[in-house]
Amino acid sequence: MTIATTGTTTLDRLPIGSQARVTGIDDKTGNADRLMEMGLLVGRPVEVARVAPFGDPIQIKVMGYHLSLRSTVARGIAVEIENASTTS
Amino acid sequence: MIVHSREPLSAQNTQTIALVGNPNSGKTSLFNRLTGQRRKVANYPGVTVDRHVGAVTRDPNTQLIDLPGCYSLVSRSLDEQLARDVLFGWIRNEQTPDGVIVVVDASNLERNLFLATQVIDLGLPTIVACNMIDVVRDRRDQLDTHKLAQQLGVPVIGTDARTGEGLDELHNAIRALDSPTTKAMGHPAKRTPFDKPAQSAFQEMSNVVTSRNLATPSMTDGIARILIAPDSVSDDGDTWNKLSPDDKHAIITARNAIETPVASLVCQRYDTIATIVSAVHIKNSDGRPTATDRIDRVLTHRFWGLTISSTIMGAMFLAVFSGAAPLMDGVEFVVSQLATAARSLLGTGVFADLVVNGVIAGVGNVVVFVPQIAILFFIIAFLEDSGYMARVAFVMDRIMSATGLHGRSFIPLLSSFACAVPAIMAARTIDSRRDRLTTIMVAPLMSCSARLPVYIVIISAVFAGNVWLEAGILFTMYALGLVTALMIAAVLKRTILKGPPATFILELPPYRRPRFTIVCRETWDRTKPFLTQAGTVILAFSVILWALAYYPRANNTSPDNIDTTAQLRQSYIGRLGQTIEPVIKPLGFDWKIGVGLASSFAAREVFVATMGVVHGVGEDADETSVPLREKLLNDKWPDGRRVLTPLVGVSLMVFYVFACQCMSTLAIVKRETNGWRWPTFMFCYMTTLAYVASFVVYQGGQALGLG
């Protein structure tokens, strides 16, 4: 798995601490509506806060609160990196 | 078709107000603040979702319904569907509420306003309670509730349910709910604006709602806005709902025909919300990590997170196991005192025996678990209220995903090592019905505390002298249950409970100091059903089991000098043991063990007492009793072979690992799944599993020359 530092990637590959913006949600898992209702909207900022001890799920920060998603779901969320992390 | 009337629910001048809000918005605290002690918990018709209702303390004619927490009225779980149906007036035998209080987490305003605006769109008289206003202040942010009220078109009150701040204003607003000014606020002009294509889609859905008479005219548009989006709730079992199959069909047909871009509806609503939030919320907080961030850095850390969660779970297990012991001794003492008192009061005879050995002993066998249940629920409620429970699900999700379940199932399964009954009730936090059922079905495979006396009496009888072997075998029995439970869960999730993969979208709320009153209330709410509803079934079974052991009487005994061993041998249950001997012989069991198995159905640890009676050691035998151990070892088949060889011991323990010998468990599964179907399935699969496993162990062992 490659970790992107700039450009477009998916949420599961976003490095911890990097600021990004949602560019699209793929509805393969059938969760797109709920993800949007939870604040993951195209154009909105999103950040990966941390990863669970066993590597999955991830904890993201969106609309100022924390949400946990599995990587399989996060893979369907396209993001554009805005501000690469300085900590990792 | 639904008949609408806005007549009061019960006495004149009563009004019913629904309390709705996101999970973690502090809705329940606010409910408790408003209703005080005057509340009752019931079920919605046909489902086991708790229905909390209470009268407002300062206004006894106002009844408050605490709806399950939800993120959107487009429902994704049973809880959310119920909340929706209450607001729509779709609950059987219930009217549309007279008003709504939407509880909003002020520190998470934007996302919380999503549900709030959906509710406001319904056009019912609505109040918005901006709860946790203190958190906003602590962050040095500012929230202009007056401006927010103007923007939303409904009264907005800043509250802090912990301190009671804003409660006076909220009470005033409740009193003013039916005033013309508040009623005018549900005016269509105040509803969330949408673009032309969306509006025409709403209109089409409104036509269906109107033609099928599913709502009052004032609510039609708001309801249509929700119905237009596909919800992911299955139809099966929503018996609480007033809709007919035709109604549901009409809605789905219309929904498919209209083809609304749901994404656009969500975006438009959030666009409106963003404008509102930027006007009323002044953010002064810097980007510094919050306390929750700092705590999470440790509690979900790769090493420390796992260490701490294992320690907490271990401590919970220990508290349930040993912390409850003195209390259980206390219960047992009270029960035995009661039995003695009843015996001296009633003397001898059938009635005395029924009361002492049937009712008191039977119910006592079950009530003895109440301390464990209460302690477990206390700890779970404590962890839940602190926000830690969501982290446990977060940390454990990866492990649980291997079985097809998700992190939410971890706690019920772990709790089941103590007792399956509270574990099955704890499975309510799982939002997917299939996942919840899977968790319930495998939970009793965990070796509960009632199996321990059985394991101990067998191990100490046949493996005495080697401490390491004893401990190793005990550990193996626990591991066997755990591994099998995970395997069965994986099988169930791929077969009869097959469904879309579990969605794991879980909010991780900020940590907060747990509130003692809420934790106690939760504990009581969850312990009580065990005592009441399950209690009635358990009482009935106890009496039946007593009668099976009491009748028919041995005719040569006087009431004062009963040969209990002979009596048991010729009682129905003794005969049952002898009848099933051919069936259990391939497992290595004789009829005496058969009697033990049969009587274990009351509660597993009854096996020990029954063995005491069968072998004439007396009813007071316990697992540490030396005479019982010797008797068990000296028991012989007619041909002189020893019955309880080490192989038979293992076979017997394996049987106990898998068999569903617990009427409390079956009673609670019946309650939680609302019927006999699932408890029947549970009993059958576990018994089959137990038989096959013991058969394999005994026959396999003999073939290998271990007999």
Side-chain angles (χ1 to χ4, degrees):
Chain A
M1 193 176 93
T2 53
I3 295 283
T5 50
T6 50
T8 313
T9 181
T10 49
L11 192 55
D12 59 312
R13 295 181 172 202
L14 190 66
I16 294 172
S18 295
Q19 316 273 327
R21 221 164 259 283
V22 178
T23 55
I25 298 181
D26 178 356
D27 197 14
K28 271 199 203 104
T29 51
N31 296 315
D33 294 354
R34 176 46 53 103
L35 289 171
M36 286 191 290
E37 286 176 341
M38 298 300 277
L40 280 156
L41 299 162
V42 172
R44 295 282 180 134
V46 63
E47 182 188 325
V48 176
R50 55 183 56 84
V51 174
F54 295 110
D56 193 23
I58 61 169
Q59 183 182 340
I60 62 166
K61 203 171 168 185
V62 60
M63 268 189 193
Y65 77 99
H66 289 269
L67 192 66
S68 164
L69 304 174
R70 281 191 183 164
S71 319
T72 46
V73 174
R75 201 165 298 144
I77 301 167
V79 294
E80 192 176 275
I81 299 173
E82 294 217 312
N83 185 358
S85 161
T86 48
T87 53
S88 59
Chain B
M1 197 190 107
I2 297 169
V3 179
H4 299 283
S5 70
R6 295 295 302 255
E7 275 164 34
L9 279 173
S10 49
Q12 64 278 29
N13 300 329
T14 41
Q15 60 171 352
T16 303
I17 295 177
L19 198 62
V20 60
N22 282 187
N24 310 307
S25 61
K27 187 172 58 65
T28 303
S29 317
L30 203 62
F31 176 78
N32 291 339
R33 277 276 176 189
L34 288 169
T35 58
Q37 303 298 317
R38 299 139 66 100
R39 71 199 174 108
K40 55 177 190 249
V41 185
N43 278 341
Y44 287 98
V47 259
T48 49
V49 173
D50 289 339
R51 186 177 184 281
H52 296 258
V53 178
V56 175
T57 32
R58 296 195 209 167
D59 195 359
N61 287 331
T62 300
Q63 211 189 23
L64 213 57
I65 308 180
D66 186 15
L67 298 184
C70 52
Y71 290 109
S72 165
L73 291 182
V74 180
S75 39
R76 296 277 179 331
S77 71
L78 186 66
D79 276 6
E80 289 188 334
Q81 196 179 354
L82 272 157
R84 180 200 75 178
D85 286 347
V86 171
L87 292 176
F88 285 10
W90 284 0
I91 301 283
R92 262 178 217 285
N93 311 321
E94 272 181 41
Q95 310 296 332
T96 313
D98 300 291
V100 188
I101 301 175
V102 189
V103 187
V104 163
D105 173 2
S107 66
N108 189 356
L109 189 63
E110 199 170 2
R111 198 205 66 213
N112 276 255
L113 281 181
F114 189 83
L115 176 74
T117 56
Q118 283 183 328
V119 173
I120 292 167
D121 281 357
L122 292 178
L124 289 166
T126 304
I127 302 167
V128 170
C130 267
N131 201 24
M132 304 203 220
I133 199 86
D134 53 312
V135 180
V136 178
R137 263 200 309 265
D138 290 349
R139 286 185 192 163
R140 276 172 280 130
D141 288 357
Q142 276 161 26
L143 178 63
D144 189 337
T145 50
H146 295 288
K147 218 180 230 173
L148 184 58
Q150 282 168 11
Q151 297 275 342
L152 294 175
V154 298
V156 175
I157 290 135
T159 57
D160 176 5
R162 281 161 189 259
T163 59
E165 182 189 337
L167 236 71
D168 290 335
E169 290 95 320
L170 189 56
H171 275 291
N172 291 338
I174 291 171
R175 261 179 230 126
L177 252 188
D178 55 354
S179 73
T181 33
T182 315
K183 275 196 170 146
M185 286 179 167
H187 193 269
K190 297 294 184 187
R191 291 178 190 169
T192 315
F194 282 93
D195 63 10
K196 276 263 151 56
Q199 281 177 17
S200 61
F202 295 157
Q203 191 52 51
E204 282 181 58
M205 187 54 96
S206 293
N207 293 342
V208 175
V209 173
T210 309
S211 69
R212 300 210 66 86
N213 197 13
L214 299 177
T216 49
S218 63
M219 288 183 75
T220 304
D221 179 57
I223 288 180
R225 289 170 175 216
I226 304 301
L227 290 183
I228 209 150
D231 42 29
S232 58
V233 184
S234 62
D235 263 353
D236 49 0
D238 59 348
T239 48
W240 67 87
N241 193 307
K242 277 181 189 172
L243 299 192
S244 70
D246 284 350
D247 292 334
K248 287 173 194 161
H249 184 73
I251 292 169
I252 291 165
T253 312
R255 186 184 287 160
N256 294 340
I258 297 168
E259 278 183 29
T260 342
V262 178
S264 150
L265 297 184
V266 176
C267 290
Q268 289 183 55
R269 190 178 288 282
Y270 264 127
D271 285 346
T272 307
I273 291 169
T275 317
I276 296 175
V277 170
S278 64
V280 302
H281 190 202
I282 302 163
K283 240 181 142 80
N284 294 321
S285 41
D286 39 24
R288 277 188 313 160
T290 59
T292 292
D293 271 325
R294 288 195 298 270
I295 298 170
D296 260 349
R297 213 166 281 168
V298 179
L299 290 189
T300 62
H301 184 268
R302 195 169 282 260
F303 173 73
W304 291 113
L306 285 176
T307 313
I308 291 167
S309 62
S310 317
T311 311
I312 291 177
M313 295 305 132
M316 177 169 105
F317 197 25
L318 202 68
V320 172
F321 233 132
S322 57
L327 291 167
M328 291 170 86
D329 288 346
V331 173
E332 277 175 342
F333 177 75
V334 171
V335 170
S336 72
Q337 289 297 305
L338 259 175
T340 314
R343 179 67 81 193
S344 64
L345 198 69
L346 301 168
T348 49
V350 183
F351 182 69
D353 209 80
L354 169 67
V355 171
V356 175
N357 292 334
V359 176
I360 296 179
V363 174
N365 276 335
V366 174
V367 172
V368 75
F369 292 115
V370 168
Q372 285 191 329
I373 290 170
I375 289 178
L376 182 68
F377 278 146
F378 185 85
I379 297 172
I380 289 180
F382 183 88
L383 294 178
E384 245 165 30
D385 204 45
S386 71
Y388 184 67
M389 224 39 155
R391 271 74 185 182
V392 174
F394 174 68
V395 169
M396 293 300 166
D397 181 64
R398 181 68 192 79
I399 299 172
M400 298 308 297
S401 71
T403 65
L405 296 173
H406 67 53
R408 284 265 182 212
S409 297
F410 180 77
I411 292 294
L413 291 184
L414 184 84
S415 316
S416 201
F417 276 121
C419 178
V421 172
I424 286 163
M425 289 196 271
R428 284 185 193 176
T429 54
I430 303 166
D431 39 14
S432 146
R433 182 181 150 271
R434 290 163 200 280
D435 284 11
R436 178 166 169 243
L437 273 174
T438 308
T439 310
I440 289 174
M441 283 301 121
V442 301
L445 288 170
M446 304 295 193
S447 281
C448 64
S449 57
R451 277 144 163 138
L452 191 61
V454 181
Y455 296 157
I456 289 175
V457 74
I458 299 168
I459 290 176
S460 59
V462 294
F463 297 106
N466 186 340
V467 181
W468 288 103
L469 184 65
E470 286 183 55
I473 288 176
L474 187 62
F475 176 79
T476 310
M477 291 306 141
Y478 276 87
L480 185 64
L482 171 70
V483 171
T484 312
L486 295 179
M487 276 165 35
I488 300 272
V491 171
L492 288 177
K493 276 294 286 176
R494 280 163 185 76
T495 55
I496 55 169
L497 290 168
K498 195 173 180 173
T503 52
F504 185 71
I505 301 176
L506 178 75
E507 183 183 359
L508 298 168
Y511 289 104
R512 282 176 303 163
R513 188 149 25 98
R515 290 139 298 176
F516 187 69
T517 44
I518 291 204
V519 170
C520 288
R521 204 165 265 193
E522 262 316 279
T523 308
W524 172 240
D525 279 350
R526 296 186 196 181
T527 310
K528 206 177 88 180
F530 176 73
L531 280 169
T532 53
Q533 274 190 294
T536 49
V537 178
I538 289 158
L539 178 65
F541 271 111
S542 303
V543 171
I544 292 168
L545 275 170
W546 166 84
L548 289 176
Y550 190 83
Y551 291 108
R553 303 300 292 162
N555 43 19
N556 58 349
T557 50
S558 71
D560 300 324
N561 183 24
I562 295 169
D563 180 351
T564 46
T565 308
Q567 167 57 32
L568 193 68
R569 179 195 277 268
Q570 63 108 42
S571 71
Y572 290 117
I573 204 162
R575 290 175 198 189
L576 179 70
Q578 290 159 68
T579 313
I580 64 171
E581 196 182 81
V583 181
I584 57 175
K585 213 170 174 183
L587 314 182
F589 309 158
D590 68 351
W591 76 269
K592 292 177 184 171
I593 295 176
V595 172
L597 295 182
S599 60
S600 284
F601 188 67
R604 291 179 177 92
E605 72 276 24
V606 172
F607 175 80
V608 179
T610 310
M611 287 292 106
V613 175
V614 178
H615 289 105
V617 191
E619 289 172 38
D620 300 330
D622 64 27
E623 63 272 23
T624 51
S625 155
V626 177
L628 175 60
R629 217 178 286 168
E630 284 168 359
K631 287 274 187 184
L632 282 173
L633 281 178
N634 291 330
D635 198 19
K636 299 270 195 320
W637 289 100
D639 61 10
R641 285 180 299 122
R642 247 176 75 193
V643 173
L644 200 63
T645 61
L647 182 61
V648 174
V650 172
S651 167
L652 186 55
M653 280 189 287
V654 167
F655 192 88
Y656 268 87
V657 169
F658 294 129
C660 185
Q661 300 151 301
C662 179
M663 58 183 180
S664 314
T665 299
L666 292 171
I668 210 73
V669 173
K670 189 223 159 223
R671 186 185 124 85
E672 294 293 301
T673 62
N674 202 32
W676 283 108
R677 206 173 112 205
W678 288 105
T680 309
F681 171 72
M682 175 186 270
F683 181 77
C684 294
Y685 102 76
M686 287 181 72
T687 308
T688 311
L689 190 64
Y691 189 87
V692 171
S694 285
F695 186 88
V696 169
V697 166
Y698 184 68
Q699 297 297 335
Q702 280 207 316
L704 294 171
L706 297 171

